[in-house]
Short mmCIF file of all heavy atoms in Angstrom, two decimals:
data_model
loop_
_atom_site.label_atom_id
_atom_site.label_comp_id
_atom_site.label_asym_id
_atom_site.label_seq_id
_atom_site.Cartn_x
_atom_site.Cartn_y
_atom_site.Cartn_z
N MET B 100 -13.28 7.09 -9.10
CA MET B 100 -12.97 6.43 -10.34
C MET B 100 -14.12 6.63 -11.32
O MET B 100 -15.25 6.18 -11.04
CB MET B 100 -12.74 4.92 -10.07
CG MET B 100 -11.67 4.66 -9.04
SD MET B 100 -11.31 2.91 -8.85
CE MET B 100 -12.85 2.33 -8.22
N ASN B 101 -13.82 7.31 -12.41
CA ASN B 101 -14.84 7.57 -13.46
C ASN B 101 -14.43 6.85 -14.76
O ASN B 101 -13.28 6.43 -14.92
CB ASN B 101 -14.96 9.07 -13.71
CG ASN B 101 -15.40 9.84 -12.48
OD1 ASN B 101 -16.12 9.33 -11.62
ND2 ASN B 101 -14.97 11.08 -12.40
N SER B 102 -15.36 6.78 -15.68
CA SER B 102 -15.12 6.13 -16.98
C SER B 102 -14.43 4.81 -16.83
O SER B 102 -13.42 4.52 -17.48
CB SER B 102 -14.30 7.10 -17.85
OG SER B 102 -14.94 8.32 -18.01
N LEU B 103 -14.95 4.00 -15.96
CA LEU B 103 -14.31 2.72 -15.68
C LEU B 103 -14.33 1.76 -16.84
O LEU B 103 -15.28 1.73 -17.64
CB LEU B 103 -14.97 2.06 -14.43
CG LEU B 103 -14.55 2.70 -13.10
CD1 LEU B 103 -15.56 2.36 -12.01
CD2 LEU B 103 -13.13 2.25 -12.75
N ARG B 104 -13.24 1.00 -16.94
CA ARG B 104 -13.06 0.07 -18.03
C ARG B 104 -12.85 -1.33 -17.43
O ARG B 104 -12.51 -1.49 -16.26
CB ARG B 104 -11.79 0.42 -18.83
CG ARG B 104 -11.76 1.85 -19.30
CD ARG B 104 -10.35 2.21 -19.79
NE ARG B 104 -10.30 3.58 -20.30
CZ ARG B 104 -9.15 4.26 -20.52
NH1 ARG B 104 -8.00 3.67 -20.28
NH2 ARG B 104 -9.19 5.47 -20.94
N ALA B 105 -13.03 -2.33 -18.26
CA ALA B 105 -12.81 -3.73 -17.82
C ALA B 105 -11.42 -3.90 -17.22
O ALA B 105 -11.26 -4.64 -16.24
CB ALA B 105 -13.02 -4.67 -18.96
N GLU B 106 -10.45 -3.24 -17.78
CA GLU B 106 -9.09 -3.38 -17.30
C GLU B 106 -8.80 -2.71 -15.95
O GLU B 106 -7.73 -2.85 -15.40
CB GLU B 106 -8.09 -2.90 -18.33
CG GLU B 106 -8.29 -1.48 -18.81
CD GLU B 106 -9.10 -1.43 -20.11
OE1 GLU B 106 -10.01 -2.27 -20.28
OE2 GLU B 106 -8.79 -0.51 -20.95
N ASP B 107 -9.80 -2.01 -15.43
CA ASP B 107 -9.67 -1.44 -14.09
C ASP B 107 -10.09 -2.46 -13.03
O ASP B 107 -10.00 -2.18 -11.82
CB ASP B 107 -10.54 -0.19 -13.94
CG ASP B 107 -10.08 0.94 -14.85
OD1 ASP B 107 -8.84 1.15 -14.94
OD2 ASP B 107 -10.94 1.61 -15.48
N THR B 108 -10.62 -3.60 -13.43
CA THR B 108 -10.99 -4.65 -12.47
C THR B 108 -9.76 -5.11 -11.69
O THR B 108 -8.76 -5.54 -12.28
CB THR B 108 -11.57 -5.86 -13.24
OG1 THR B 108 -12.81 -5.47 -13.83
CG2 THR B 108 -11.83 -7.02 -12.27
N ALA B 109 -9.85 -5.01 -10.37
CA ALA B 109 -8.69 -5.28 -9.51
C ALA B 109 -9.07 -5.17 -8.06
O ALA B 109 -10.12 -4.62 -7.72
CB ALA B 109 -7.55 -4.32 -9.82
N VAL B 110 -8.22 -5.68 -7.24
CA VAL B 110 -8.27 -5.36 -5.80
C VAL B 110 -7.48 -4.07 -5.60
O VAL B 110 -6.35 -3.94 -6.10
CB VAL B 110 -7.65 -6.50 -4.91
CG1 VAL B 110 -7.57 -6.08 -3.50
CG2 VAL B 110 -8.46 -7.77 -5.09
N TYR B 111 -8.13 -3.13 -4.96
CA TYR B 111 -7.48 -1.82 -4.69
C TYR B 111 -7.08 -1.73 -3.22
O TYR B 111 -7.87 -1.92 -2.33
CB TYR B 111 -8.45 -0.70 -5.02
CG TYR B 111 -8.61 -0.51 -6.54
CD1 TYR B 111 -9.33 -1.37 -7.29
CD2 TYR B 111 -8.02 0.57 -7.20
CE1 TYR B 111 -9.44 -1.26 -8.67
CE2 TYR B 111 -8.13 0.77 -8.56
CZ TYR B 111 -8.86 -0.16 -9.29
OH TYR B 111 -8.95 0.01 -10.67
N TYR B 112 -5.77 -1.44 -3.01
CA TYR B 112 -5.23 -1.30 -1.70
C TYR B 112 -4.87 0.18 -1.43
O TYR B 112 -4.34 0.83 -2.35
CB TYR B 112 -3.94 -2.08 -1.54
CG TYR B 112 -4.05 -3.58 -1.67
CD1 TYR B 112 -3.69 -4.23 -2.86
CD2 TYR B 112 -4.44 -4.40 -0.59
CE1 TYR B 112 -3.75 -5.61 -2.97
CE2 TYR B 112 -4.50 -5.76 -0.69
CZ TYR B 112 -4.16 -6.35 -1.91
OH TYR B 112 -4.19 -7.74 -2.03
N CYS B 113 -5.08 0.66 -0.25
CA CYS B 113 -4.47 1.90 0.18
C CYS B 113 -3.27 1.54 1.02
O CYS B 113 -3.27 0.53 1.71
CB CYS B 113 -5.45 2.84 0.87
SG CYS B 113 -5.97 2.32 2.50
N ALA B 114 -2.26 2.43 1.01
CA ALA B 114 -1.04 2.17 1.71
C ALA B 114 -0.46 3.49 2.25
O ALA B 114 -0.59 4.53 1.59
CB ALA B 114 0.00 1.45 0.82
N ARG B 115 0.16 3.38 3.42
CA ARG B 115 0.79 4.51 4.00
C ARG B 115 2.25 4.60 3.55
O ARG B 115 2.97 3.62 3.58
CB ARG B 115 0.78 4.43 5.54
CG ARG B 115 1.34 5.65 6.24
CD ARG B 115 1.24 5.55 7.75
NE ARG B 115 2.33 4.77 8.33
CZ ARG B 115 2.69 4.83 9.62
NH1 ARG B 115 1.98 5.61 10.43
NH2 ARG B 115 3.65 4.08 10.07
N VAL B 116 2.66 5.78 3.10
CA VAL B 116 4.05 5.98 2.66
C VAL B 116 4.86 6.42 3.83
O VAL B 116 4.81 7.59 4.27
CB VAL B 116 4.13 7.02 1.53
CG1 VAL B 116 5.58 7.12 1.05
CG2 VAL B 116 3.20 6.65 0.38
N ALA B 117 5.61 5.50 4.41
CA ALA B 117 6.42 5.80 5.58
C ALA B 117 7.86 6.14 5.23
O ALA B 117 8.58 6.82 6.00
CB ALA B 117 6.40 4.66 6.59
N TYR B 118 8.32 5.67 4.09
CA TYR B 118 9.70 5.82 3.69
C TYR B 118 9.79 6.47 2.31
O TYR B 118 8.88 6.37 1.50
CB TYR B 118 10.43 4.46 3.70
CG TYR B 118 10.26 3.69 4.98
CD1 TYR B 118 9.59 2.46 4.99
CD2 TYR B 118 10.78 4.17 6.18
CE1 TYR B 118 9.43 1.76 6.19
CE2 TYR B 118 10.64 3.48 7.36
CZ TYR B 118 9.95 2.27 7.35
OH TYR B 118 9.80 1.57 8.51
N VAL B 119 10.92 7.07 2.05
CA VAL B 119 11.13 7.81 0.84
C VAL B 119 10.91 6.95 -0.42
O VAL B 119 11.25 5.79 -0.42
CB VAL B 119 12.55 8.41 0.79
CG1 VAL B 119 12.77 9.19 -0.48
CG2 VAL B 119 12.77 9.30 2.02
N ASP B 120 10.35 7.56 -1.45
CA ASP B 120 10.16 6.95 -2.75
C ASP B 120 9.29 5.71 -2.70
O ASP B 120 9.67 4.63 -3.21
CB ASP B 120 11.52 6.61 -3.38
CG ASP B 120 12.34 7.87 -3.67
OD1 ASP B 120 11.72 8.90 -3.96
OD2 ASP B 120 13.55 7.79 -3.62
N GLU B 121 8.12 5.86 -2.11
CA GLU B 121 7.08 4.84 -2.10
C GLU B 121 7.45 3.61 -1.28
O GLU B 121 7.30 2.47 -1.71
CB GLU B 121 6.69 4.42 -3.55
CG GLU B 121 6.22 5.60 -4.36
CD GLU B 121 5.03 6.33 -3.73
OE1 GLU B 121 3.89 5.86 -3.90
OE2 GLU B 121 5.27 7.40 -3.13
N GLY B 122 7.96 3.89 -0.05
CA GLY B 122 8.17 2.82 0.92
C GLY B 122 6.91 2.69 1.77
O GLY B 122 6.69 3.51 2.67
N PHE B 123 6.09 1.67 1.49
CA PHE B 123 4.79 1.54 2.18
C PHE B 123 4.91 0.58 3.38
O PHE B 123 5.13 -0.58 3.20
CB PHE B 123 3.75 0.94 1.22
CG PHE B 123 3.74 1.54 -0.14
CD1 PHE B 123 3.99 0.77 -1.28
CD2 PHE B 123 3.46 2.89 -0.28
CE1 PHE B 123 3.97 1.34 -2.53
CE2 PHE B 123 3.46 3.47 -1.56
CZ PHE B 123 3.71 2.70 -2.68
N ASP B 124 4.74 1.13 4.59
CA ASP B 124 4.92 0.28 5.76
C ASP B 124 3.60 -0.35 6.22
O ASP B 124 3.63 -1.29 7.01
CB ASP B 124 5.58 1.02 6.92
CG ASP B 124 4.66 2.08 7.53
OD1 ASP B 124 3.80 2.62 6.80
OD2 ASP B 124 4.82 2.34 8.73
N SER B 125 2.49 0.20 5.79
CA SER B 125 1.19 -0.35 6.18
C SER B 125 0.26 -0.39 4.97
O SER B 125 0.26 0.56 4.20
CB SER B 125 0.57 0.50 7.29
OG SER B 125 1.42 0.52 8.44
N TRP B 126 -0.51 -1.47 4.91
CA TRP B 126 -1.47 -1.64 3.81
C TRP B 126 -2.83 -1.99 4.40
O TRP B 126 -2.93 -2.63 5.45
CB TRP B 126 -1.03 -2.81 2.92
CG TRP B 126 0.27 -2.64 2.20
CD1 TRP B 126 1.51 -2.60 2.76
CD2 TRP B 126 0.48 -2.55 0.77
NE1 TRP B 126 2.49 -2.47 1.78
CE2 TRP B 126 1.88 -2.46 0.56
CE3 TRP B 126 -0.37 -2.57 -0.31
CZ2 TRP B 126 2.42 -2.33 -0.72
CZ3 TRP B 126 0.15 -2.44 -1.58
CH2 TRP B 126 1.55 -2.33 -1.77
N GLY B 127 -3.87 -1.63 3.68
CA GLY B 127 -5.20 -2.11 4.02
C GLY B 127 -5.37 -3.52 3.49
O GLY B 127 -4.47 -4.12 2.89
N GLN B 128 -6.55 -4.05 3.75
CA GLN B 128 -6.85 -5.46 3.30
C GLN B 128 -7.30 -5.51 1.85
O GLN B 128 -7.34 -6.59 1.25
CB GLN B 128 -7.96 -6.04 4.22
CG GLN B 128 -9.40 -5.70 3.84
CD GLN B 128 -9.75 -4.27 4.12
OE1 GLN B 128 -9.02 -3.51 4.75
NE2 GLN B 128 -10.95 -3.86 3.65
N GLY B 129 -7.63 -4.37 1.27
CA GLY B 129 -8.03 -4.30 -0.14
C GLY B 129 -9.54 -4.37 -0.32
O GLY B 129 -10.26 -4.91 0.50
N THR B 130 -10.00 -3.78 -1.43
CA THR B 130 -11.42 -3.82 -1.78
C THR B 130 -11.47 -4.14 -3.28
O THR B 130 -10.72 -3.58 -4.08
CB THR B 130 -12.14 -2.50 -1.42
OG1 THR B 130 -13.54 -2.68 -1.67
CG2 THR B 130 -11.63 -1.31 -2.23
#
Side-chain angles (χ1 to χ4, degrees):
Chain B
M100 304 185 296
N101 299 331
S102 303
L103 283 161
R104 307 166 180 167
E106 53 265 37
D107 295 318
T108 294
V110 174
Y111 285 74
Y112 297 100
C113 69
R115 184 178 83 161
V116 183
Y118 308 116
V119 179
D120 295 331
E121 302 304 279
F123 314 120
D124 70 331
S125 299
W126 297 67
Q128 83 289 350
T130 187

